[in-house]
Structure formats: C-alpha cells, structure tokens
Amino acid sequence: MNMHRGIGLAAFDKEQLSQRFAELSSELSKTQVDNLQSQLTQFRTALSHFATTHRDSIRSDPAFRHAFQQMCSSIGVDPLAGPMKGGWWAEILGMGDWQYELGVQIVDVCVSTRERNGGVIEMGELVRMVSKLRGVESGVITEEDVIRSIKTLQPLGAGYEVLDVGDGKKMVRSVVKELDADQAVILAEAQVEGGWIVEAILENRRGWTGERARAALENMLLRDGLCWLDSQDEHYGQVYWIPSAMRWDE
C-alpha cells in the first residue's frame, strides 16, 4: 500500500516538475520575444534615420542606392515591404512615384518588343532601352532598380517576372507563361552566341540527345513563338534565332 503511495507521489512530483519547466520555458520565450521586438524597433529607427539622412544620395547615386540595397538585403530587410504601398522606398525615401514611373516605362518597353521576342527580354537590354526612354546615361538606371519596379508590377497579374537563366544572366518575362528548364538553358546558350542556337551546341555543351534539342527548339518556335528559324544557313543548315538573347541597337 505504501509502495503504491510512493509511486503516486513520485508521479505527482514529476508532473509538477514538468509543469514548472513548461512555465519557465514560456517565460523565457516571452522575454526573448520582448527583447527581440525591442531590438527590431531600435534597429528600424536607426535604419530610418540613415535612409532619411542620405535620401538624396540614395535617390540620385546608383552606386549609393546599390550599397543601401545590399545593406538591407544582408540584414534581411526588404525596402519594398512596409505599411505604405511601395514600402520604405515610398514611406522614407519618397521614391514611390519614381519607382512606379520606372515600372510604367518597363511595361512600355516590354510591350513594344513583345512581337519580336515573344515576351522575354534580356535584363541588360531592358535596362539599356529603359535608360534610352528616360533620356539618361548608362549606369543611372541599374538592374536592381528594374527588379524592384517589377516587384511593384506583380499585383497587376500580367506575368512580369525576373528569370535567372544561369551564369548570372537574367531575363524578364512579360507574359503569363512558364519558361521551362530546357528553354532557360537554350536562352543562356543563345546569349553566349549573340542570339542564335543550333541543336549541335546543345548536344556538345549540355550533353543533350538530338531528339531533346530538336523538341525543345521546335516548342520555342511553334508553340511559344520565342524564336525564328533560318532554314538556309550556309554552315548549319538550320539556325534558330532568339530575339530575347540578341542585342538591338535602336
């Protein structure tokens, strides 16, 4: 009888101990959360002060704007996020109108070139054409500026998206269609060649079979309208030209 009582008390003590540990854990978690919230508030105040103090430099100097963007990225802050539409770029830096104006010009370039490139344009080409449209020198509008503006276009649901095609190369898609993995490879290789591609390049460099290369290229030509076919090339016989991987001087 006493033995059963001892077992019961031991179980009760163990339950009390577990409950105490749970309460202590909850208290520690709440303290940690409160400390973290306090640190985040202080950090936001400090970053806001920095952004406000250097507002003119961030707006006018692409290199300074890049450094500010990198600083934010390194600590996990998205300048486009915030209580106001346009995030900190609008709330603190007063760049909301500038950002949306750039977005309108990106749409202008993408729509005007869609007939020839099928709705996929190389990032450098887009930056160059937008800069020309704005009447500014090369380097004033950066790739990061374009990427931020494209984020503001996403709520439109028009399919605007930045695509990474490998080796640090980026494309911008302005139509609601998915770019599959094979098409991304073809775009990357076509950029290397200045806009053209043949089956042999995909076979030799990527190890594709002839059937895979042919099917992917024909899909881009017939299904998606992303390339042109030159069936009378003197060297290869058939060459696929991909406008989005070409440089257009206009």
Side-chain angles (χ1 to χ4, degrees), residues 122-123 163-171 187-188 191-192:
E122 193 266 329
M123 176 63 79
L163 307 170
D164 189 341
V165 295
D167 297 325
K169 298 182 176 66
K170 293 182 176 63
M171 295 277 189
L187 285 172
Q191 277 192 304
V192 173

Side-chain angles (χ1 to χ4, degrees), residues 54-201:
H54 299 283
R55 178 185 300 166
D56 291 341
S57 296
I58 294 172
R59 293 186 64 168
S60 62
D61 185 346
F64 202 97
R65 194 160 61 243
H66 170 76
F68 178 73
Q69 173 74 17
Q70 291 298 105
M71 180 180 71
C72 290
S73 298
S74 68
I75 52 183
V77 173
D78 181 2
L80 279 176
M84 288 181 61
K85 187 176 182 181
W88 282 22
W89 291 102
E91 179 185 356
I92 297 174
L93 300 176
M95 291 182 66
D97 291 342
W98 184 89
Q99 200 75 64
Y100 287 114
E101 178 185 303
L102 181 61
V104 169
Q105 291 167 331
I106 289 170
V107 171
D108 189 355
V109 170
C110 288
V111 171
S112 65
T113 60
R114 191 176 290 165
E115 186 175 347
R116 75 179 183 213
N117 60 30
V120 180
I121 185 170
E122 193 266 329
M123 176 63 79
E125 180 71 4
L126 177 57
V127 171
R128 186 186 70 81
M129 294 185 70
V130 168
S131 297
K132 184 176 180 180
L133 188 63
R134 293 178 73 91
V136 297
E137 297 178 358
S138 175
V140 174
I141 302 299
T142 67
E143 182 177 303
E144 287 178 340
D145 295 331
V146 170
I147 291 173
R148 280 195 303 272
S149 286
I150 287 174
K151 284 184 179 180
T152 69
L153 297 175
Q154 288 178 347
L156 298 177
Y160 286 86
E161 183 181 1
V162 178
L163 307 170
D164 189 341
V165 295
D167 297 325
K169 298 182 176 66
K170 293 182 176 63
M171 295 277 189
V172 175
R173 185 185 67 193
S174 62
V175 289
V176 186
K177 69 168 69 170
E178 291 296 326
L179 196 68
D180 64 38
D182 282 359
Q183 289 175 336
V185 169
I186 291 171
L187 285 172
E189 292 294 349
Q191 277 192 304
V192 173
E193 301 301 328
W196 62 272
I197 190 77
V198 293
E199 294 175 20
I201 289 177

Side-chain angles (χ1 to χ4, degrees), residues 6 167 202 232:
D167 297 325
L202 298 170
Q232 297 181 348

